[in-house]
């Protein structure tokens, strides 16, 4: 007879999605993480917006960004004008990209230049992908402006502890009327989930031979496959 219990402990993670810098008159930039966190294997994505808040045009605007290592980043310039151009490069120091925007008229942020940088992560990227982008107009007296954002790449891990209510079962008595003491053994399985929460989690346990499962005893509720003698949460 087997009684099992399963417990999932989830850790809530929060991380800043973006930091605005240089939001004043003249050249401005924001860089934000489209998702503050992604599971390893998912797509990490940043959106960068560069615009000119005035009072006059800003000429020769550039955007430069040294991207986090370990991800093959794709750079997409949204709604480019004829004189806009972006190019990325990969060296031993990592991947970076630069954009040339020419002259920017005075606009609101919604009318600025938008670049989306995205890439698929993997288990080697666990942790924070920190990034800062810089916008400048070399012919303008104002300093370059920058904006930073970070994406947390989560790599969930599961540790399991199991404890039995008895270390030994004694079977005694005359032939035909033997009895086990104790007659019921309870196994408690404790699961600790790190870097959670996760979705569509599946936990299974195949019962040892020689035991009969007490129907409905697993808590929380689990399904039982008698053919394979397996409990599934």
């Amino acid at each position: 007879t087997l009684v099992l219990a399963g417990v999932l402990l989830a850790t809530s993670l929060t991380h800043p999605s973006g930091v605005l810098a240089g939001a004043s008159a003249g050249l401005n930039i924001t860089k934000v993480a489209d998702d503050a966190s992604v599971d390893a294997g998912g797509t990490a994505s940043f959106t960068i917006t560069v615009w000119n808040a005035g009072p006059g045009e800003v000429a020769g605007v550039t955007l430069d960004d040294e991207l986090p290592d370990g991800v093959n980043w794709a750079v997409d310039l949204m709604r480019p004008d004829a004189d806009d151009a972006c190019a990325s490069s990969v060296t031993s120091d990592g991947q970076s990209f630069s954009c040339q925007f020419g002259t920017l008229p005075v606009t609101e942020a919604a009318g600025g230049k938008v670049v989306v940088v995205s890439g698929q992560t993997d288990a080697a990227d666990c942790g924070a992908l920190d990034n800062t982008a810089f916008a400048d107009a070399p012919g303008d007296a104002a300093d370059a402006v920058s904006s930073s954002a970070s994406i947390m790449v989560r790599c969930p891990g599961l540790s399991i502890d199991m404890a039995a209510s008895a270390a030994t079962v004694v079977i005694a008595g005359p032939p035909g009327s033997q009895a086990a003491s104790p007659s019921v053994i309870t196994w408690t399985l404790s699961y600790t989930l790190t870097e959670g929460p996760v979705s569509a989690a599946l936990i299974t346990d195949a019962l040892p031979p020689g035991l009969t499962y007490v129907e409905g005893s697993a808590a929380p509720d689990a399904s039982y496959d008698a053919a394979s003698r397996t409990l599934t949460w």
Side-chain angles (χ1 to χ4, degrees):
T1 302
L2 179 65
V3 181
L4 291 171
V7 179
L8 286 179
L9 303 179
T11 301
S12 177
L13 298 178
T14 59
H15 205 85
S17 62
V19 178
L20 172 64
S24 59
L27 194 60
N28 285 265
I29 184 173
T30 59
K31 180 164 193 171
V32 297
D34 295 340
D35 292 295
S37 66
V38 298
D39 292 337
T43 298
S45 180
F46 297 99
T47 297
I48 305 165
T49 304
V50 178
W51 78 98
N52 172 23
E57 292 183 341
V58 178
V61 176
T62 62
L63 169 65
D64 294 283
D65 195 340
E66 294 186 5
L67 298 165
D69 292 338
V71 178
N72 183 19
W73 297 100
V75 179
D76 295 309
L77 174 58
M78 315 303 289
R79 306 186 305 275
D81 292 327
D83 56 351
D84 293 338
C86 291
S88 61
S89 60
V90 180
T91 67
S92 59
D93 296 327
Q95 185 177 353
S96 62
F97 76 92
S98 297
C99 296
Q100 307 290 329
F101 294 134
T103 299
L104 294 187
V106 178
T107 66
E108 300 289 337
K113 302 294 184 179
V114 178
V115 178
V116 176
V117 185
S118 59
Q120 186 173 2
T121 63
D122 57 33
D125 302 316
C126 295
L129 297 175
D130 299 320
N131 192 219
T132 301
F134 298 86
D136 195 10
D140 191 90
D143 294 334
V145 291
S146 65
S147 184
S148 300
S150 183
I151 298 174
M152 180 63 67
V153 180
R154 301 189 304 113
C155 293
L158 185 67
S159 60
I160 302 176
D161 293 317
M162 178 180 282
S165 60
T168 303
V169 176
V170 176
I171 300 177
S177 60
Q178 291 179 324
S181 179
S183 60
V184 176
I185 304 296
T186 302
W187 276 268
T188 301
L189 283 66
S190 299
Y191 301 87
T192 300
L193 178 66
T194 57
E195 295 295 333
V198 297
S199 59
L202 186 67
I203 302 172
T204 61
D205 191 357
L207 307 189
L211 300 175
T212 300
Y213 172 58
V214 176
E215 189 67 33
S217 62
D221 291 342
S223 62
Y224 179 63
D225 183 345
S228 63
R229 298 172 54 77
T230 300
L231 284 161
T232 301
W233 288 270

